[in-house]
Amino acid sequence: MSAGYACLSVDEIRLSMEEKGTRVILAADLFTISEISHILNEVGRHICMLKTHVDGIHDFDLDRWMDEVVRPARKMGILLFEDRKFADIGHVSKIQMLGHQRIADWADVVTAHRISGPDIVEGIHDAWRECGRRGSVAVLAQMSSSGNLLDEEYCRKVVDSCRGMDGVCGFIGNGSNPSNISELRSLVGSDKMILTPGINLNSGEARMGQRYGHPREAIAAGSDAVIVGSGIIRNAEPLAAAKKYAEETSA
Ligand code: 6AU
């Protein structure tokens, strides 16, 4: 389905990742701009995207965010990935993209649930269009958290309805279970990406219902890139950890 507006394409995102030579997306789940800027500078060479939860940043200030995080990430060839998990109707998702954190002004990829209807994708792209920018949506098809309600039938419906959308670059799959990823890959085909959270070399680190799988198994099962938070940011040596995850996911 042609979107009728300019989107960041899967090919452009895959090319950007190839140029960085790593399939690691850093989940920078930290509380201040300085902490995020610091980890970005430390591990930037080993990551292809910086995933944020911008609503969790205590001292958020747009000018500082652009200067200390967004521009440095761009200089390093890293895509900005805001994990906002939009879920409202299309028009409200557009309002949220254009809210005080100005997600549309800097994010290249955002996450969204498909639960409210397909127009959420249109609403998000409308915001990028208003800012004169292009981006893409990663839709949640599975989750890594235990007890989640995204069952097989829901996953199939999500993929069926979004696989043909230009504005969707791919799907979030459950990295903690390689067979979930291979099932998702067979539904998705090769034209869209699968990004997988729930990845940690030490599965014992899981907290609050999170579940973890191994990065190499996730890639072997068909994931394009692994999303790693605690495994890097809570490690005593984040640089060495990021390098290790990058090696584990290399061909
Ligand atoms: O490696 P962790 O467990 O410290 O962090 C995992 C990161 C967090 C979550 O918000 C995110 O991955 N995540 C996601 C997404 C969309 O990225 C989906 C999901 O099912 N599980 C999950 O943990 O930033």
Side-chain angles (χ1 to χ4, degrees):
M1 190 196 307
S2 172
Y5 43 81
C7 312
L8 198 59
S9 71
V10 173
D11 286 350
E12 286 174 286
I13 297 172
R14 282 188 169 144
L15 180 65
S16 160
M17 287 167 52
E18 258 173 57
E19 283 173 354
K20 280 292 300 195
T22 161
R23 293 163 179 255
V24 177
I25 298 171
L26 179 71
D29 295 339
L30 297 162
F31 304 110
T32 65
I33 292 180
S34 305
E35 285 172 327
I36 296 180
S37 159
H38 185 270
I39 194 87
L40 170 67
N41 288 317
E42 187 172 7
V43 309
R45 78 186 83 152
H46 298 298
I47 65 169
C48 57
M49 295 193 211
L50 178 72
K51 189 179 82 67
T52 52
H53 285 292
V54 75
D55 48 4
I57 300 174
H58 297 174
D59 60 351
F60 188 79
D61 168 87
L62 186 61
D63 291 336
R64 280 192 60 209
W65 182 247
M66 298 303 277
D67 285 345
E68 295 174 41
V69 176
V70 175
R71 289 188 191 102
R74 294 214 188 294
K75 274 196 197 136
M76 290 185 242
I78 291 168
L79 294 172
L80 279 301
F81 177 179
E82 168 54 27
D83 187 9
R84 176 63 180 72
K85 295 186 180 73
F86 293 100
D88 213 316
I89 58 172
H91 177 61
V92 171
S93 299
K94 176 180 173 181
I95 290 174
Q96 292 169 323
M97 280 283 283
L98 296 168
H100 69 102
Q101 294 144 346
R102 300 296 303 172
I103 295 170
D105 275 337
W106 50 267
D108 302 303
V109 176
V110 301
T111 45
H113 283 286
R114 167 64 178 79
I115 189 87
S116 62
D119 295 312
I120 192 165
V121 175
E122 166 89 29
I124 290 169
H125 279 280
D126 220 22
W128 271 315
R129 189 168 36 202
E130 266 193 33
C131 298
R133 295 191 65 248
R134 296 182 305 133
S136 195
V137 179
V139 181
L140 284 106
Q142 298 171 342
M143 291 197 75
S144 62
S145 42
S146 56
N148 74 73
L149 300 176
L150 285 69
D151 61 14
E152 273 179 46
E153 193 191 348
Y154 178 83
C155 174
R156 199 168 37 250
K157 286 181 183 168
V158 166
V159 174
D160 281 350
S161 70
C162 298
R163 196 178 33 207
M165 290 183 177
D166 284 348
V168 169
C169 60
F171 300 91
I172 300 295
N174 173 20
S176 75
N177 182 340
S179 62
N180 280 179
I181 301 171
S182 33
E183 283 154 25
L184 182 58
R185 181 50 83 192
S186 65
L187 294 174
V188 169
S190 56
D191 291 348
K192 298 285 184 196
M193 305 178 69
I194 296 177
L195 310 176
T196 52
I199 296 291
N200 196 314
L201 288 163
N202 177 6
S203 56
E205 273 187 34
R207 293 177 297 179
M208 292 190 183
Q210 178 67 299
R211 298 172 298 185
Y212 285 130
H214 194 283
R216 190 170 288 283
E217 289 178 9
I219 296 292
S223 167
D224 285 88
V226 296
I227 295 173
V228 185
S230 308
I232 295 173
I233 65 173
R234 312 260 169 247
N235 194 290
E237 293 181 44
L239 176 59
K243 185 165 179 280
K244 173 86 176 139
Y245 280 93
E247 285 164 1
E248 289 289 347
T249 49
S250 67

